[in-house]
Each structure stands twice: as C-alpha cells, then as structure tokens.
Amino acid sequence: TPSRSVSIAPNPTRTVSYLAGVAKGDVIQVSTLTGRYIKSIKATSFTRQEVDLEDLPNGVYLLTITGVYEYNAIKLIKSN
C-alpha cells in the first residue's frame, strides 16, 4: 500500500481544524488516546477537510485515516 503524509492545522484547535492530504472518500476516525471511538468523518476535500471537535471536551484526540493510502495517525489537541 502506498503511504501518504497528512497534516492538520490549527493544532491545538478550539473548534474546527483542517486536514490536508487525504483522498476523497477516505474515512477519518476520531478516537481518544485510550482507543474509545468517538466518530467517523467521510473525506470530501483533498486540501481542506474539516474536522469539527466543537462538541467534544478539551483533550487530545487521535485521528486515524483509512482508505486508498496508508496514512500517519495524527494527535489533535482541543483546548479552549
């Protein structure tokens, strides 16, 4: 499987961050660092895929992306 690196900004975030580098149709899974599943987001944009954490408490979240490529996992920090 070819690999691809993705980036996210802003990080830390207060509400919404944007992923760059995902392929359209890929699935972004948001979970806690302990592995508790929170939600999945289907990618619709290669350059500015929205990841909305507004309704979640402050903390560190793990984004795992599955799809055509093998992606690096990303830690996203939510703080107000």
Side-chain angles (χ1 to χ4, degrees):
T1 306
S3 64
R4 180 182 272 180
S5 186
V6 292
S7 59
I8 196 158
N11 188 7
T13 185
R14 295 177 72 156
T15 55
V16 175
S17 286
Y18 295 93
L19 264 176
V22 293
K24 197 171 177 178
D26 285 355
V27 176
I28 302 139
Q29 182 174 303
V30 181
S31 58
T32 64
L33 288 184
T34 56
R36 186 173 65 81
Y37 171 83
I38 295 170
K39 64 179 175 180
S40 289
I41 303 160
K42 190 165 185 173
T44 56
S45 171
F46 173 70
T47 53
R48 270 179 70 84
Q49 175 59 49
E50 186 175 287
V51 178
D52 187 351
L53 299 185
E54 186 171 17
D55 55 343
L56 299 178
N58 289 350
V60 182
Y61 296 92
L62 191 64
L63 306 182
T64 313
I65 304 148
T66 52
V68 182
Y69 300 95
E70 200 170 288
Y71 295 100
N72 53 307
I74 292 182
K75 286 182 183 170
L76 178 58
I77 299 162
K78 159 104 191 276
S79 63
N80 288 341

